[in-house]
Amino acid sequence: MDNGNVKDNGPGHATPPLRLLIVGQKRTGRSSVGNTLLGEDAFDTWGGAASAVAHGESEGRQLMVVDACGWGTNELIPKQEKLELFNALSLCEPGPHVLLLVIPLLHFSHSEKAVIQKRMEILTEGVWRHTMVVFTLGDRLRDCSMQDYIQTSGKDLQWLMERCRYRYHVLNNKTPQDRQQVSGLLDRAEDILMENGGWHFSLHMYCRLEEEWSRREREMKERMLEMQDRVGKNGRGLAGVSNHSRQGGLNVNDNLLKLVYHG
């Protein structure tokens, strides 16, 4: 269990802060999201600033908010951009509970999808378990529901929703005094934390897991090839197995799978 769980630890114990990492392209309203959450001008909104961290209390919750340096618009990721992303992660050690991926309520293009996909790949597949999309420019919805907007916005936005398991929240940075929208976002973030068993995102941990999965997959393939080779060498004998003997037990392929999965 994460030592930084945000559950109440009882009287006399300080509640650890909910750690939020805000990511996204430049000029999407990332820094404004951080300011809206904290209820103060904690982050520079002029653009071009390096990753920064701010602490505060919001809607009865202690928060640690990291505003990551904005991404570029090219699929090819510059080295400095990667370093900034890793720096943002280090600012909320041991790791963020939730990543807030900021997307404006505009047309979500295929190129934007590609940019996001490449950046999230740096953080491994596991990062999606901890990600919530925050749609800015919430005032653009007007009479349209968010569900209708998602359904009519094309397959690229559908892809994004599927990746983050339809965990999203709409925020209007023009009305930071509306604390109900902030409370709703923080409630959803805590739900995500609970869904992950109280664990934060750890790049190191997920990299180790991916290495272990790859190792096991290689071993399984090697064992499968070895068994297929054995079956091939004894093909003549196996071909002569009578229907009577097959009816009495598993066929060759069933035995092969059992050997592979159970050793």
Side-chain angles (χ1 to χ4, degrees):
M1 180 68 68
D2 182 3
N3 293 330
N5 199 330
V6 296
K7 288 183 179 179
D8 189 359
N9 294 322
H13 292 83
T15 302
L18 178 65
R19 299 189 296 274
L20 305 174
L21 174 59
I22 305 175
V23 297
Q25 288 188 7
K26 299 175 181 178
R27 295 181 291 278
T28 56
R30 300 176 339 279
S31 301
S32 294
V33 167
N35 292 339
T36 298
L37 291 178
L38 292 169
E40 59 180 280
D41 293 333
F43 300 109
D44 181 6
T45 59
W46 288 100
S51 301
V53 60
H55 300 77
E57 182 177 346
S58 180
E59 308 310 301
R61 300 167 173 90
Q62 292 296 324
L63 301 181
M64 173 192 284
V65 181
V66 174
D67 177 22
C69 186
W71 300 335
T73 57
N74 296 322
E75 288 188 48
L76 183 62
I77 308 172
K79 180 180 179 180
Q80 185 60 35
E81 190 175 307
K82 291 182 182 179
L83 294 175
E84 278 292 345
L85 184 54
F86 294 145
N87 177 51
L89 278 173
S90 70
L91 291 176
C92 50
E93 288 185 343
H97 293 119
V98 180
L99 279 83
L100 303 180
L101 176 58
V102 179
I103 305 289
L105 273 172
L106 301 170
H107 174 65
F108 186 72
S109 66
H110 183 73
S111 62
E112 288 175 296
K113 169 195 170 182
V115 167
I116 290 173
Q117 189 172 15
K118 290 295 184 182
R119 271 65 178 178
M120 298 298 267
E121 283 176 358
I122 296 175
L123 301 177
T124 73
E125 181 74 13
V127 73
W128 291 106
R129 295 177 57 89
H130 303 265
T131 299
M132 171 169 58
V133 172
V134 177
F135 289 102
T136 53
L137 304 179
D139 56 306
R140 288 177 173 264
L141 276 178
R142 298 181 181 177
D143 297 330
C144 176
S145 70
M146 195 60 210
Q147 291 78 8
D148 290 340
Y149 174 82
I150 292 172
Q151 291 176 359
T152 58
S153 292
K155 62 181 181 181
D156 292 316
L157 186 60
Q158 290 286 347
W159 169 86
L160 180 60
M161 290 292 95
E162 289 172 5
R163 299 301 290 145
C164 68
R165 306 180 184 185
Y166 284 85
R167 297 180 299 202
Y168 65 85
H169 192 79
V170 180
L171 205 64
N172 184 0
N173 289 322
K174 293 181 179 180
T175 57
Q177 69 277 7
D178 178 7
R179 305 313 292 170
Q180 185 174 355
Q181 62 174 343
V182 173
S183 182
L185 187 152
L186 296 178
D187 286 343
R188 192 70 186 94
E190 289 183 339
D191 288 343
I192 294 173
L193 178 59
M194 294 300 294
E195 290 169 12
N196 287 311
W199 286 98
H200 61 270
F201 170 74
S202 168
L203 181 59
H204 175 71
M205 179 183 71
Y206 278 108
C207 283
R208 292 288 300 274
L209 283 174
E210 286 194 348
E211 289 173 0
E212 179 65 16
W213 291 335
S214 296
R215 183 186 66 80
R216 292 189 179 188
E217 185 178 11
R218 286 195 304 271
E219 289 179 354
M220 184 176 294
K221 288 180 179 179
E222 289 171 359
R223 293 172 71 182
M224 180 70 79
L225 290 172
E226 182 180 347
M227 289 303 302
Q228 288 176 344
D229 185 57
R230 291 179 184 177
V231 170
K233 289 179 179 179
N234 297 283
R236 292 182 180 179
L238 291 172
V241 176
S242 67
N243 290 333
H244 173 74
S245 64
R246 288 179 182 271
Q247 291 173 357
L250 296 169
N251 61 34
V252 173
N253 288 334
D254 293 329
N255 280 318
L256 181 60
L257 287 174
K258 279 204 165 188
L259 284 168
V260 170
Y261 283 101
H262 300 291

